[in-house]
């Protein structure tokens, strides 16, 4: 195949824990170093969450995001930055009264969720379209909130990457596209294997791809043990790919990955063995119109 494949590395996320992988990057310095190493290993894009170094939990804290971004930019790395806007969407129903938020709730205003994107202006940021149960919380992304986040993202000159966790999310994407909220061509990421989300198998991915809007740019990834099988499937169907400790901590069954860079290296080997080649950051920018 002559086309190049864009590989994103999601280096930390907000749910993976140090108990699952002792080398999980948590501090801004660790997250930035992981991103730079992933770029050197072949990732064209790095997907970044910030973590509170004291609690290790995900955070929307602007100074922490700023330190991560500054460290990567000042390193000379050409890797494309993709900041998460997923924080601030979780609601934990109370046991005694489900209408009352329990500890762990982060649900907040849409403008708060994209403040770091407006301030730091990465080339890409995520825009979650899912409303679903996840872990101990309900993730809530209403059409109104998604619309306001999209408006602010575009105004900042940033490309939104639409995260689809199930079939209804694709319907929302198409509705927002029809209403002019989302601009063509859409950049879409299909997420397979989150509990209560899309089932991680080839049939599900083929269904999603068959329903995507024309001319969109898409990628897909699988959670946990599904990471590498679905990477190969996404490539064979013409999509781009993603790996990283946010999604999976193992390099093979029962063996923890050394770090994010090792996951990137294995992904690159799979793509090359299937006849493809990874896009450089410059090539990815051209493909994405950045």
């Amino acid at each position: 195949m002559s086309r190049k494949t864009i590989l994103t590395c999601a280096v930390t996320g907000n749910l993976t824990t140090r108990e699952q992988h002792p080398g999980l990057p948590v501090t801004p310095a660790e997250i930035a170093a992981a991103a730079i190493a992933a770029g050197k290993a072949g990732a064209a894009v790095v997907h970044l969450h910030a973590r509170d170094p004291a609690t290790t939990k995900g955070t929307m804290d602007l100074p922490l995001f700023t330190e991560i971004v500054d460290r990567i930019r000042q390193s000379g790395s050409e890797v494309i930055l993709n900041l998460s806007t997923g924080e601030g969407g979780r609601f934990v129903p109370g046991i005694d009264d489900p209408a009352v938020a329990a500890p762990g709730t982060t649900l907040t205003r849409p403008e708060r969720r994209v403040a770091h994107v407006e301030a730091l202006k990465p080339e890409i940021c995520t825009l979650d379209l899912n409303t679903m149960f996840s872990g101990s919380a309900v993730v809530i992304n209403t059409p109104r909130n998604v619309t306001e986040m999209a408006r602010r993202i575009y105004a900042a000159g940033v490309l939104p990457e639409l995260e689809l966790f199930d079939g209804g999310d694709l319907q929302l994407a198409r509705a927002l596209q029809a209403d002019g909220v989302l601009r063509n061509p859409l950049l879409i990421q299909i997420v397979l294997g989150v509990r209560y989300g899309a089932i991680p198998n080839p049939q599900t991915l083929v269904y999603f791809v068959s329903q995507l809007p024309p001319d969109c740019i898409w990628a897909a990834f699988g959670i946990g043990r599904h990471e590498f099988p679905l990477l190969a499937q996404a490539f064979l169907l013409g999509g781009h790919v993603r790996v990283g400790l946010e999604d999976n901590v193992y390099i093979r069954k029962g063996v923890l990955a050394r770090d994010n860079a090792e996951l990137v290296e294995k992904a690159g080997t799979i793509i090359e063995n299937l006849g493809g080649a990874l896009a450089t950051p410059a090539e990815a920018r051209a493909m994405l119109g950045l």
Side-chain angles (χ1 to χ4, degrees), residues 39-50:
K40 290 179 179 177
V45 181
V46 287
H47 173 56
L48 303 169
H49 290 248

Side-chain angles (χ1 to χ4, degrees), residues 31-89:
I31 293 169
I36 294 163
K40 290 179 179 177
V45 181
V46 287
H47 173 56
L48 303 169
H49 290 248
R51 298 260 190 159
D52 182 329
T55 66
T56 75
K57 303 293 186 184
T59 178
M60 292 172 280
D61 186 72
L62 179 57
L64 292 174
F65 265 111
T66 300
E67 183 180 348
I68 294 167
V69 169
D70 285 350
R71 284 177 178 271
I72 298 169
R73 286 174 172 167
Q74 291 167 10
S75 74
S77 174
E78 296 184 357
V79 71
I80 297 167
L81 304 187
N82 174 343
L83 301 189
S84 174
T85 66
E87 294 291 341

Side-chain angles (χ1 to χ4, degrees), residues 66-279:
T66 300
E67 183 180 348
I68 294 167
V69 169
D70 285 350
R71 284 177 178 271
I72 298 169
R73 286 174 172 167
Q74 291 167 10
S75 74
S77 174
E78 296 184 357
V79 71
I80 297 167
L81 304 187
N82 174 343
L83 301 189
S84 174
T85 66
E87 294 291 341
R90 303 178 77 82
F91 179 83
V92 182
I95 299 298
D96 296 326
D97 185 353
V100 176
T105 295
T106 64
L107 190 63
T108 189
R109 303 183 312 278
E111 56 268 32
R112 174 77 180 87
R113 294 177 62 183
V114 296
H116 59 297
V117 172
E118 293 177 303
L120 299 172
K121 295 179 171 55
E123 290 173 272
I124 304 174
C125 74
T126 58
L127 182 59
D128 293 348
L129 300 191
N130 62 317
T131 294
M132 62 184 287
F133 198 78
S134 172
S136 61
V138 181
V139 175
I140 299 175
N141 291 293
T142 64
R144 178 195 172 278
N145 286 359
V146 170
T147 296
E148 177 61 17
M149 291 170 72
R151 184 185 71 79
R152 289 173 175 270
I153 290 165
Y154 283 123
V158 179
L159 176 64
E161 179 187 80
L162 310 176
E163 310 299 305
L164 308 184
F165 291 76
D166 215 340
D169 305 346
L170 180 54
Q171 294 225 53
L172 177 56
R174 296 187 72 120
L176 294 174
Q177 180 189 39
D179 291 342
V181 173
L182 298 175
R183 303 175 187 173
N184 296 325
L186 303 184
L187 175 59
I188 289 175
Q189 179 81 261
I190 301 165
V191 185
L192 301 169
V194 173
R195 184 175 288 183
Y196 311 131
I199 295 170
N201 61 29
Q203 295 92 325
T204 302
L205 184 55
V206 169
Y207 163 76
F208 265 102
V209 173
S210 75
Q211 301 298 311
L212 290 174
D215 302 321
C216 74
I217 301 166
W218 68 274
F221 69 94
I223 299 295
R225 66 183 181 276
H226 305 288
E227 180 168 74
F228 292 113
L230 283 168
L231 178 141
Q233 187 74 25
F235 169 78
L236 293 171
L237 288 172
H240 301 286
V241 298
R242 165 172 142 168
V243 295
L245 292 180
E246 172 173 355
D247 309 326
N248 162 57
V249 298
Y250 294 98
I251 194 67
R252 62 185 63 85
K253 185 175 182 179
V255 180
L256 287 177
R258 180 189 73 236
D259 52 18
N260 281 284
E262 187 178 26
L263 295 172
V264 170
E265 290 161 3
K266 180 171 180 175
T269 298
I270 292 171
I271 297 298
E272 290 170 6
N273 286 344
L274 292 173
L278 294 181

